[in-house]
């Protein structure tokens, strides 16, 4: 559990599927590892297991290419086998909190990837966040999970499901250990061209940030490189590694800068990402 441990707990969450949670989780983990930090990771999305697969691919690629890339200590929380809701929740809570306590002890960070959709385990993971990062595709379809927006005036009519869920988990966190959750929304798959949609999203998110209590971090562009490295388990941040076998191009350099700006904006506890800056 979060209390009494040193690790800073970072949860990637958004009930909307396909927003970039697992991709961002992997890049964040590798950024922190390359900065010399110790990192644990938990995949709460055992059904898809994208983060788990990414990490396993990295292990296999390192072995094949004789690379010595760092890996997180990883755990998977599978779904419960109990039918009764009460027993199932107690079982999931016990397994999640045991894994978290084990990983948090003596580590700098624990990064938790969560599934799309709402579930007990998903809510529980959110309630343990020190930092919650919500990647958001640059689309009003995806924004609809955060707030209802008037189509003509773009005025915010009220929070939607996911924003309400985060609010509930902020309360759960405060009741458990009086802690707070630093909620960060980052736009993902941004296009390079200025469009009406991009400007309108900017306007609504700016107003929404104050209204429902998040801050914004710089976004990430739509780049093939964010998906093409999955099978090797590499990220953009590994490409300068001798023997990585991928040639660095301009898009890679720009993408690395985006990840760096994102991590800077997340503003993790004092000076933790300063060391080893030259490594990635
Ligand atoms: N910035 C990006 N540029 C290009 N492709 C991206 C980018 N971010 C994510 N993707 C791709 O979008 C898809 C969804 O990403 P990802 O699996 O990380 O989302 P998710 O939120 O974890 O999804 P789920 O809710 O299903 O777990 C993947 O195919 C991924 O490779
Ligand atoms: Mg995912």
């Amino acid at each position: 559990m979060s209390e009494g441990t040193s690790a800073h707990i970072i949860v990637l969450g958004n009930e909307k599927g396909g927003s970039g949670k697992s991709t961002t989780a992997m890049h964040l983990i590798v950024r922190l590892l390359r900065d010399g930090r110790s990192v644990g990771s938990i995949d709460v999305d055992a059904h898809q297991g994208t983060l788990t697969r990414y990490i396993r691919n990295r292990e296999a690629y390192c072995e094949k290419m004789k690379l010595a890339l760092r890996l997180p200590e990883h755990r998977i929380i599978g779904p419960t086998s109990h039918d009764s809701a009460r027993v199932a929740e107690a079982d999931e809570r016990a397994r999640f909190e045991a894994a978290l306590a084990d990983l948090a002890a003596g580590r700098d960070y624990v990064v938790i990837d969560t599934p799309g959709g709402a579930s007990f385990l998903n809510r529980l993971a959110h309630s343990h966040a020190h930092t919650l990062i919500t990647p958001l595709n640059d689309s009003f379809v995806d924004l609809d999970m955060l707030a209802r927006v008037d189509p003509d005036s773009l005025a915010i009519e009220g929070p939607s499901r996911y924003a309400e869920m985060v609010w509930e988990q902020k309360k759960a966190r405060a009741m458990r250990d009086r802690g707070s959750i630093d909620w960060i929304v980052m736009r993902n798959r941004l296009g390079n061209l200025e469009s009406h949609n991009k400007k309108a999203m900017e306007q609504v998110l700016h107003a929404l940030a104050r209204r429902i209590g998040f801050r914004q971090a710089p976004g990430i562009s739509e780049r093939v490189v964010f998906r093409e490295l999955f099978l090797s388990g590499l990220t953009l941040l590994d490409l300068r590694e001798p023997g990585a076998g991928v040639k660095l191009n301009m898009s890679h350099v720009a993408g690395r800068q985006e990840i760096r700006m994102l991590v800077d904006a997340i503003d993790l506890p004092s000076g933790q990402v300063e060391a080893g800056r030259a490594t990635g």
Side-chain angles (χ1 to χ4, degrees):
M1 296 203 292
S2 49
E3 50 270 70
T5 61
S6 58
H8 187 88
I9 297 165
I10 306 168
V11 172
L12 278 295
N14 188 345
E15 279 185 27
K16 181 79 186 166
S19 60
K21 297 179 286 294
S22 304
T23 304
T24 308
M26 189 63 183
H27 280 78
L28 185 56
I29 289 167
V30 172
R31 174 78 256 164
L32 295 171
L33 287 171
R34 294 190 72 87
D35 282 335
R37 301 296 145 193
S38 53
V39 183
S41 50
I42 302 181
D43 196 344
V44 171
D45 188 3
H47 181 67
Q48 285 199 94
T50 307
L51 180 64
T52 303
R53 181 53 51 205
Y54 215 140
I55 292 168
R56 298 290 173 254
N57 289 349
R58 187 176 178 86
E59 273 167 4
Y61 193 75
C62 283
E63 202 169 317
K64 182 174 129 197
M65 303 294 281
K66 306 276 176 282
L67 282 171
L69 297 179
R70 295 189 64 202
L71 288 150
E73 182 70 32
H74 187 63
R75 302 275 193 285
I76 307 157
I77 310 297
T80 185
S81 55
H82 297 279
D83 290 332
S84 139
R86 198 176 51 80
V87 179
E89 288 184 3
D91 170 56
E92 288 185 336
R93 179 187 291 278
R95 287 185 294 120
F96 175 80
E97 290 186 346
L100 184 55
D102 182 35
L103 289 173
R107 286 198 176 75
D108 296 317
Y109 300 99
V110 178
V111 177
I112 304 174
D113 189 25
T114 65
S119 67
F120 171 77
L121 200 49
N122 199 357
R123 293 196 300 276
L124 179 66
H126 277 70
S127 77
H128 280 273
H130 295 117
T131 300
L132 168 63
I133 302 173
T134 297
L136 181 76
N137 281 319
D138 217 37
S139 151
F140 279 99
V141 176
D142 289 49
L143 188 71
D144 198 50
M145 277 291 204
L146 287 185
R148 291 186 314 277
V149 176
D150 180 276
D152 299 319
S153 65
L154 294 184
I156 295 157
E157 293 173 341
S160 314
R161 258 181 45 182
Y162 183 65
E164 278 167 1
M165 190 273 250
V166 172
W167 176 244
E168 286 304 315
Q169 301 324 310
K170 281 184 175 183
K171 284 196 287 187
R173 172 75 206 284
M175 275 173 67
R176 188 188 310 119
D177 61 6
R178 296 193 188 164
S180 58
I181 300 176
D182 181 19
W183 186 17
I184 297 169
V185 172
M186 51 155 284
R187 292 158 78 189
N188 189 19
R189 309 188 78 153
L190 286 164
N192 289 325
L193 300 174
E194 275 307 317
S195 64
H196 175 69
N197 174 75
K198 199 172 177 183
K199 285 201 197 107
M201 285 286 293
E202 220 161 86
Q203 181 190 330
V204 173
L205 279 172
H206 184 74
L208 194 58
R210 295 183 66 177
R211 173 95 176 255
I212 62 175
F214 62 78
R215 61 191 180 93
Q216 285 192 75
I220 294 180
S221 305
E222 166 78 33
R223 291 181 196 281
V224 176
V225 69
F226 282 119
R227 39 192 146 93
E228 69 187 353
L229 297 172
F230 174 77
L231 289 177
S232 58
L234 296 180
T235 69
L236 268 176
L237 310 168
D238 302 303
L239 299 186
R240 284 215 175 106
E241 194 70 31
V246 184
K247 202 161 174 278
L248 209 65
N249 63 31
M250 286 305 288
S251 174
H252 295 161
V253 174
R256 288 159 65 98
Q257 183 60 15
E258 286 179 348
I259 298 291
R260 180 165 294 174
M261 285 170 66
L262 171 65
V263 177
D264 283 350
I266 295 171
D267 193 21
L268 293 165
S270 60
Q272 298 215 34
V273 291
E274 290 305 317
R277 174 113 312 180
T279 58

